[in-house]
Amino acid sequence: MNRTGKTASPFVIEAIDLVGRPGSQRTVELEFPAPAGLSSDVMGLPEGENITLEVSLESVSEGIYATGHVSGTAVGECSRCLDPVSKPVRVRFDELYTYPAKKPSADEDVVLLEDDEVNLEPLVRDVVALAMPYQPLCSTDCAGLCGQCGIRMDENPGHEHEVIDDRFAALKGLFKDDQEA
Ligand SMILES: [Zn+2]
Ligand SMILES: [Zn+2]
């Protein structure tokens, strides 16, 4: 629990020392286990594995401007061969946390600085999900799986099947008969 009585989140950074002091700045570097759901549908930072948050907080007249990077090892599955894929990621983020008193108008879409704290969690969730590859690949030229037996083609280059399917074989026979007729 912090001073406001909420459960402390590692993504919430106290900024009271910067509030109302334009030009002042502070950097923070944190490492902590990733919460659940820091991912897109296909790839993400696994829950419980450490991630690093590097943040620079700068006091500006409208609020606190936060920029930084979140990094960790993203894991997923190759979209072609289903092998595990893991790759280091370092994703940039930036957001202005506006003082509630400086909020331009009711319908303007701004993120507010609440309780003099910068809550990076929604921002980090968004940028991580967007940064994940749409179709992860174990390698850019992954040949995928054999459509007939499902083995990885990269492990068996030139691999073929003589007879694919009884019905197809029967069709082949039909065509042959036609041609011969
Ligand atoms: Zn693959
Ligand atoms: Zn095969």
Side-chain angles (χ1 to χ4, degrees), residues 77-83 85 136-139 142-144 152 154:
E77 202 170 69
C78 175
S79 59
R80 292 185 195 151
C81 73
L82 311 181
D83 260 20
V85 176
L137 292 175
C138 61
S139 72
C142 172
R152 288 186 75 229
D154 284 341

